Amino acid sequence: MVRDAGSAPTAAGLTSREVILNAARTLVGEKGYDGMAISELCTQSGLPPSSIYYHFGSKLGVLAALLERTFDELHALFPNPSSFDDLAPLERLEAWFSAACSSLDRRPDYLRLLVAISVGPQKDAEAVQVTVRRIRDYAHASWVDALTPIFAPNGGKNNEALVRQLAVLGCALTDGLSVTNSFDDMSYSSQVVPFVALIRGLAEHRGGTAHRGGTT
């Protein structure tokens, strides 16, 4: 007898919705969005098409829900720079970035999924764009928070512009490492020291606050 399309818990304690999303994550990671056919989702999840359509309406609905869940997981997994406010500015950045990279090393599938979706043919769908933008904005804001005490503790148009530019670089670094991690088995954490050294050198060149924790 076919299982009801609702959210009755599975034998493993997961709802059918969660089982489908887990299957979707696996398929997108292995085959990309185009490989996440409804038939493949049924095979991977062990659930009928009616269950998939009941919960998500369409294949794109599955992807949008997967992105939403990924955002929630990323938000819970990543530390906030303010968690390290007791440290001097540069040490605060290093502690936050180390913790973030450690989290990504434990769950590298997060950024792999995001990068795969962000460059795929489905990236222009509104449901995808909205959630991807939320994730990107959250990451950028975290970098701005981490870098501001070093380069713009007292504001200033030029200093704040530099912080925003470096925040883009930080996001690009982790994006690129998601690919390097997949192909070259290079950990995120291995790049903490060289990146912090780069920031330290730039701060010293600009007469920044990396060591003093004061103002320019």
Side-chain angles (χ1 to χ4, degrees):
M1 184 173 68
V2 176
R3 183 185 291 126
D4 179 76
S7 297
T10 66
L14 300 176
T15 65
S16 55
R17 189 178 193 278
E18 291 171 325
V19 169
I20 294 166
L21 290 178
N22 287 344
R25 171 175 282 165
T26 298
L27 289 172
V28 171
E30 293 177 350
K31 303 181 179 181
Y33 177 69
D34 289 339
M36 192 185 71
I38 295 297
S39 59
E40 291 277 3
L41 273 176
C42 292
T43 300
Q44 185 74 26
S45 67
L47 294 168
S50 59
S51 186
I52 296 169
Y53 290 118
Y54 173 83
H55 288 295
F56 305 104
S58 66
K59 176 181 170 180
L60 187 59
V62 175
L63 183 63
L66 178 58
L67 278 172
E68 284 288 345
R69 190 178 75 167
T70 299
F71 175 78
D72 291 339
E73 290 171 338
L74 281 169
H75 192 276
L77 183 68
F78 269 54
N80 192 296
S82 63
S83 302
F84 307 98
D85 279 351
D86 57 320
L87 301 175
L90 187 63
E91 286 69 34
R92 178 179 182 268
L93 167 68
E94 184 171 13
W96 168 74
F97 191 36
S98 295
C101 285
S102 178
S103 296
L104 287 171
D105 282 334
R106 292 196 301 272
R107 294 301 303 269
D109 54 304
Y110 286 139
L111 276 187
R112 289 176 189 169
L113 171 67
L114 182 61
V115 170
I117 291 172
S118 297
V119 300
Q122 72 290 333
K123 66 182 176 62
D124 294 325
E126 182 178 2
V128 172
Q129 285 186 334
V130 168
T131 305
V132 168
R133 187 70 268 154
R134 285 177 61 208
I135 296 173
R136 305 297 294 170
D137 287 347
Y138 173 74
H140 186 267
S142 295
W143 275 106
V144 168
D145 186 354
L147 291 162
T148 293
I150 301 172
F151 295 104
N154 297 315
K157 185 175 180 181
N158 291 337
N159 291 337
E160 291 174 354
L162 174 64
V163 166
R164 291 192 296 271
Q165 291 168 352
L166 291 174
V168 171
L169 177 62
C171 290
L173 171 66
T174 51
D175 288 346
L177 284 173
S178 70
V179 178
T180 304
N181 178 273
S182 297
F183 288 98
D184 299 330
D185 199 29
M186 179 182 291
S187 70
Y188 291 87
S189 296
S190 68
Q191 298 306 300
V192 171
V193 171
F195 185 78
V196 173
L198 175 66
I199 296 300
R200 179 185 292 110
L202 180 59
E204 291 174 348
H205 177 71
R206 292 174 59 87
T209 64
H211 296 296
R212 299 193 303 275
T215 61
T216 57

